[in-house]
Amino acid sequence: MDYQWYPGHMTKARRMMQENIALIDLLIELTDARAPQSGRNPDIDSLANGKSRIIVLNKADLADSEATDQWRSHFENEGILTAAVDSRKGSGVRQLKPLIDKACQEKIERNRRRGIVNRPVRAMIAGIPNVGKSTFINSFAGKAVAKTGDKPGVTKGKQWIRLNKNVELLDTPGILWPKFDDQIIGMRLAILGSIRDEITDEGELAVWLIRYLMKEYPAALEERYGFELDPANEVYDTGDAAAMPGEDGGRALDILEKIAVRRGCLKAGGQADLAKASKLLIDDYRSGRLGRITLEKP
Ligand code: GDP
């Protein structure tokens, strides 16, 4: 699904979130393990003020596991429980239930002390488009969930999925809007495919990605495209990997050209087709064919 964020959409999404958040005790926030900070909504802390929190690093199968561990420590230092999962395969999803119990323990205890015994703790899932919310809910809450929305004639209201005797989950996830005033955040989100429509210059994305890979994961490029980079060539040291392509953008273009030649992305006259190579590189990244690569470190 493609999303474009106009102020009207944003206002609507925000209103929905506020409405739903008022009903819940626990917010389970999904973010992409490959860019856990950029993929979050900066307003989430104020929106979720006073609620129990869990951050799920989804698509962990595509992320660098060492970086994922670092991100988990980072969020846990802020007092937020975390899990790393692959919702598509379902791995890691089982750790969520005990984690939810842990996050809600206080609430359950408080209810019990007040003599409230049949009031389950209520939770919701939220995240930016394409982060994997539906996939996660299906994998987490089971197949029955997918069916509820499809039945004709079912009255539209809040549907809750009973996870166990203590916990219920809102069956529709909250949609958060990404914020990419910062160009680098925009780059990361566009490379992940989260904001496809807003940044469409694939050449620019490819150059940024190459610069980042040169710095952080050079072997991934070498292995995938079968050429050797020259580590002695200091021009390859792009300095701050998070920076935008600057004067050495030309270097990255050379590499892109090499990729084009290696992969037979050629124009009619035999010249390298850089646009095609850019698409190929980004596609290789998104599908995990370049390896498990995280676009930002804590
Ligand atoms: P939503 O917009 O947040 O509901 O996202 P979807 O659940 O529709 O997922 C978006 C895309 O990401 C789909 O192509 C999913 O198959 C894929 N996806 C979701 N979770 C994972 C995951 O953990 N690993 C991988 N590799 N792909 C995933």
Side-chain angles (χ1 to χ4, degrees):
M1 213 187 283
D2 286 335
Y3 280 83
Q4 264 181 315
W5 291 98
Y6 298 109
H9 289 149
M10 221 111 90
T11 310
K12 191 169 170 230
R14 190 182 176 92
R15 201 172 52 231
M16 283 294 291
M17 275 301 294
Q18 278 167 332
E19 211 176 273
N20 287 335
I21 249 173
L23 305 173
I24 58 144
D25 309 294
L26 167 69
L27 178 73
I28 302 171
E29 183 191 346
L30 252 67
T31 185
D32 194 308
R34 293 166 298 171
Q37 192 60 43
S38 296
R40 295 182 75 202
N41 176 290
D43 303 330
I44 194 71
D45 288 331
S46 62
L47 273 168
N49 189 25
K51 307 290 174 181
S52 301
R53 307 274 296 272
I54 293 176
I55 291 181
V56 173
L57 298 166
N58 193 37
K59 309 196 186 185
D61 53 307
L62 298 172
D64 174 346
S65 58
E66 207 175 301
T68 300
D69 289 342
Q70 289 169 9
W71 278 110
R72 290 187 66 183
S73 309
H74 172 83
F75 293 128
E76 297 205 348
N77 286 339
E78 289 177 7
I80 305 179
L81 296 172
T82 67
V85 310
D86 168 359
S87 303
R88 209 144 65 167
K89 288 225 176 78
S91 50
V93 172
R94 256 195 299 172
Q95 60 182 305
L96 257 293
K97 280 183 189 167
L99 209 59
I100 290 174
D101 289 340
K102 192 174 169 194
C104 298
Q105 211 165 11
E106 222 176 287
K107 178 92 188 169
I108 293 167
E109 283 300 316
R110 207 177 329 133
N111 282 348
R112 191 175 300 150
R113 277 199 302 275
R114 291 178 181 164
I116 306 168
V117 282
N118 284 326
R119 160 128 175 27
V121 166
R122 290 187 151 176
M124 82 179 279
I125 312 281
I128 66 170
N130 213 32
V131 70
K133 296 179 293 299
S134 315
T135 312
F136 175 77
I137 290 182
N138 283 336
S139 157
F140 177 51
K143 291 190 179 65
V145 187
K147 289 179 199 151
T148 50
D150 295 328
K151 284 184 203 149
V154 173
T155 34
K156 276 259 169 193
K158 304 284 176 212
Q159 303 258 355
W160 298 90
I161 303 153
R162 192 117 203 179
L163 294 178
N164 60 36
K165 68 178 178 22
N166 290 326
V167 186
E168 283 183 0
L169 180 69
L170 191 63
D171 81 340
T172 40
I175 297 173
L176 295 171
W177 52 101
K179 200 162 178 181
F180 42 95
D181 301 351
D182 183 333
Q183 245 187 318
I184 295 161
I185 294 177
M187 278 289 165
R188 295 191 189 107
L189 294 178
I191 290 169
L192 297 182
S194 315
I195 51 170
R196 224 162 287 161
D197 290 343
E198 288 82 355
I199 297 180
T200 46
D201 186 344
E202 280 168 325
E204 202 184 338
L205 295 184
V207 164
W208 190 90
L209 184 57
I210 288 171
R211 294 191 66 213
Y212 182 79
L213 294 172
M214 299 290 303
K215 179 92 194 317
E216 299 286 336
Y217 300 94
L221 277 174
E222 294 179 322
E223 279 160 28
R224 178 73 193 158
Y225 302 113
F227 50 69
E228 264 179 51
L229 300 168
D230 178 3
N233 187 344
E234 82 283 5
V235 188
Y236 287 150
D237 181 6
T238 54
D240 179 7
M244 298 295 290
E247 60 262 31
D248 73 332
R251 267 292 154 194
L253 278 178
D254 287 349
I255 308 248
L256 188 58
E257 199 171 331
K258 271 191 185 175
I259 293 172
V261 172
R262 288 275 167 170
R263 282 305 158 111
C265 302
L266 301 173
K267 290 182 185 164
Q271 288 162 291
D273 186 340
L274 297 185
K276 201 169 168 191
S278 298
K279 270 199 176 61
L280 180 131
L281 173 73
I282 292 163
D283 207 48
D284 279 350
Y285 175 72
R286 285 185 186 154
S287 63
R289 284 188 294 268
L290 269 173
R292 297 177 60 170
I293 289 162
T294 299
L295 295 179
E296 63 181 340
K297 311 278 168 75

